[in-house]
Amino acid sequence: MLKVSCNVSNDQIHALAQCAFLGRCTSTLRRNDAIWCRPLRKPPVLARAVLSDRGGASSGVLGSDRMVGSGSGSLADRLRLGSLTEDRLSYKERFIVRCYEVGINKTATVETIANLLQEVGCNHAQSVGFSTDGFATTPTMRKMHLIWVTARMHIEIYRYPAWSDVVEIETWCQGDGRIGTRRDWIIKDHATDQVIGRATSKWVMMNQETRRLQKVSDDVREEYLVYCPRELRLAIPEENSSSLKKIPKLEDPAQNSKVGLVPRRADLDMNQHVNNVTYIGWVLEGWPCDIPQSMPQEVIDSHELQTITLDYRRECQHDDIVDSLTTVEPVEDATAVSELQGKNGSADVKEYKEDLPQFLHLLRLSGDGLEINRGRTVWRKKPAR
């Protein structure tokens, strides 16, 4: 994967960045450890200069000119490494994995992946003129005080990016019947163009004042369908897909639980409820199970999350107290699960017929036991490094 080199001095980086941002150079050369810029003869166009994996500087390492801002729009629009694709029916953006986004394995956490998916989805909506006040609300939705909320999220990670790797995420949305919309993502290693993850999600509309769900009106549908693929496009093929598999309710007694989880202020999003990514962390609080027949410590140390599916059943407020429950789910046909993972793009990942432990999860309110979220996770052995 592409690594950002630290072999160039800070002064060189600052000079290069200033020169590129102000439009004073069109290309860069490295001669005898010095960075040279060629002067512009035409009106300046914003260029992004980044360090190559050989320590040099290049204005094209992260992509073609189609993915670079033209200088119009906000400063954020001009600086982010993303834009609509040529057909304007999907959006791509690149991200460098930061040191604070990785875990003990020096690879990105699943929460990092989920946050990037959310970020690129919001940037897509903003790029077509929708508001980010309520996560991609259309003009009609804003007039009617409607917002999008997550109903289901399914993420498959075939290989985790490491610190300093560059990933490219493509996203698009499309209609999903009368009750909501669907958003898909494909995650690639930018250096190799290899697919390292996929995700799909379903969203429904909620009235921000009454907190009740509402059907998607024709006016709202017309506003966003013009930016959707004309034919159904799925990041994860639905035939035999685990993304559609029903998640049964986990009943007490659970094999493992973490009780008394309290939302922090930082867990709340702009819609005044707990951010959907926070639920992922809470779900994993109930894992691993303590019982010997499920996941002993040596297995825990050798496994990583492969797939996570979450059904969001009610929103969580800042004063709620949450319990996280987890129980092992028997796999009826481990061979079928292995084949399924391969069909969804993980052909480069070694599959284990008897070593894909699978769990059911439940988040509930501590007081009355009302369901907040149902989940399923599948784990695999960590690759040798």
Side-chain angles (χ1 to χ4, degrees):
M1 292 187 177
L2 181 63
K3 302 285 184 180
V4 178
S5 173
C6 297
N7 295 331
V8 180
S9 70
N10 288 336
D11 291 340
Q12 289 174 317
I13 296 174
H14 292 160
L16 177 61
Q18 182 182 34
C19 193
F21 179 78
L22 295 178
R24 293 175 180 166
C25 62
T26 56
S27 63
T28 56
L29 299 174
R30 184 177 179 86
R31 298 174 181 171
N32 299 325
D33 295 326
I35 297 178
W36 301 79
C37 296
R38 292 175 179 156
L40 276 173
R41 295 184 180 180
K42 296 181 180 180
V45 174
L46 179 67
R48 291 183 178 85
V50 296
L51 301 179
S52 73
D53 55 348
R54 296 183 179 179
S58 170
S59 60
V61 172
L62 290 187
S64 65
D65 292 340
R66 291 194 302 271
M67 298 295 290
V68 178
S70 62
S72 61
S74 69
L75 178 61
D77 291 336
R78 300 197 300 270
L79 291 180
R80 67 169 52 103
L81 296 171
S83 71
L84 293 170
T85 53
E86 289 184 348
D87 61 10
R88 303 184 66 81
L89 299 180
S90 68
Y91 176 90
K92 291 183 179 181
E93 187 167 354
R94 299 173 209 86
F95 301 91
I96 300 173
V97 178
R98 311 293 182 176
C99 65
Y100 53 83
E101 295 174 324
V102 303
I104 59 176
N105 299 318
K106 298 182 181 179
T107 56
T109 65
V110 64
E111 289 97 329
T112 292
I113 300 296
N115 275 317
L116 292 180
L117 298 180
Q118 184 167 274
E119 172 70 9
V120 75
C122 287
N123 291 343
H124 177 205
Q126 192 175 40
S127 70
V128 300
F130 292 164
S131 169
T132 55
D133 290 346
F135 291 137
T137 51
T138 70
T140 298
M141 291 178 66
R142 292 194 296 275
K143 291 179 182 178
M144 301 178 65
H145 305 286
L146 300 172
I147 57 176
W148 293 113
V149 293
T150 315
R152 187 176 177 94
M153 176 70 72
H154 177 85
I155 303 173
E156 299 179 0
I157 305 174
Y158 312 136
R159 180 158 52 86
Y160 283 86
W163 176 23
S164 295
D165 287 344
V166 178
V167 297
E168 179 182 82
I169 304 177
E170 181 182 7
T171 187
W172 63 94
C173 62
Q174 47 209 341
D176 188 45
R178 302 292 301 178
I179 61 173
T181 186
R182 170 180 178 142
R183 178 172 289 278
D184 285 31
W185 297 265
I186 293 178
I187 310 168
K188 291 185 177 182
D189 171 358
H190 181 65
T192 64
D193 204 40
Q194 180 187 27
V195 174
I196 60 173
R198 303 175 192 265
T200 184
S201 62
K202 294 187 178 182
W203 300 71
V204 294
M205 285 200 314
M206 172 187 284
N207 187 295
Q208 195 168 18
E209 297 176 348
T210 66
R211 315 308 287 185
R212 293 182 179 275
L213 299 183
Q214 185 166 324
K215 289 184 178 180
V216 181
S217 66
D218 290 337
D219 291 340
V220 172
R221 194 182 311 279
E222 290 174 1
E223 286 177 323
Y224 74 80
L225 283 183
V226 296
Y227 302 105
C228 300
R230 304 297 180 256
E231 297 181 0
L232 184 63
R233 181 187 178 193
L234 304 177
I236 301 173
E238 290 189 341
E239 183 179 0
N240 298 322
S241 172
S242 62
S243 66
L244 300 179
K245 188 178 179 181
K246 183 178 179 180
I247 303 176
K249 183 179 179 181
L250 176 58
E251 301 289 352
D252 277 338
Q255 292 173 345
N256 199 56
S257 62
K258 180 78 170 181
V259 300
L261 299 169
V262 180
R264 306 168 302 162
R265 287 184 61 85
D267 294 326
L268 302 180
D269 61 25
M270 62 185 76
N271 288 331
Q272 303 301 312
H273 59 200
V274 173
N275 190 291
N276 66 74
V277 178
T278 299
Y279 294 119
I280 296 177
W282 285 349
V283 162
L284 300 183
E285 287 286 348
W287 183 90
C289 294
D290 296 327
I291 60 174
Q293 62 265 33
S294 59
M295 294 283 285
Q297 186 62 44
E298 59 268 21
V299 178
I300 297 168
D301 294 338
S302 63
H303 281 67
E304 64 184 9
L305 183 66
Q306 174 172 289
T307 304
I308 183 167
T309 310
L310 298 175
D311 278 341
Y312 297 85
R313 297 190 165 256
R314 73 177 62 247
E315 61 179 339
C316 183
Q317 307 292 344
H318 71 279
D319 55 351
D320 289 329
I321 300 177
V322 179
D323 295 338
S324 177
L325 310 179
T326 297
T327 290
V328 174
E329 181 181 27
V331 179
E332 296 179 359
D333 188 346
T335 302
V337 172
S338 177
E339 293 175 353
L340 170 64
Q341 301 299 335
K343 289 180 180 178
N344 284 348
S346 57
D348 294 331
V349 178
K350 184 178 180 181
E351 304 296 346
Y352 298 86
K353 293 182 180 180
E354 299 178 357
D355 204 5
L356 285 173
Q358 191 165 297
F359 295 86
L360 293 177
H361 305 269
L362 174 68
L363 297 179
R364 68 183 183 189
L365 296 178
S366 290
D368 49 26
L370 292 176
E371 284 186 279
I372 299 174
N373 193 294
R374 294 184 188 185
R376 174 184 286 113
T377 57
V378 180
W379 302 75
R380 64 167 175 256
K381 281 191 175 180
K382 294 177 183 177
R385 296 186 183 278

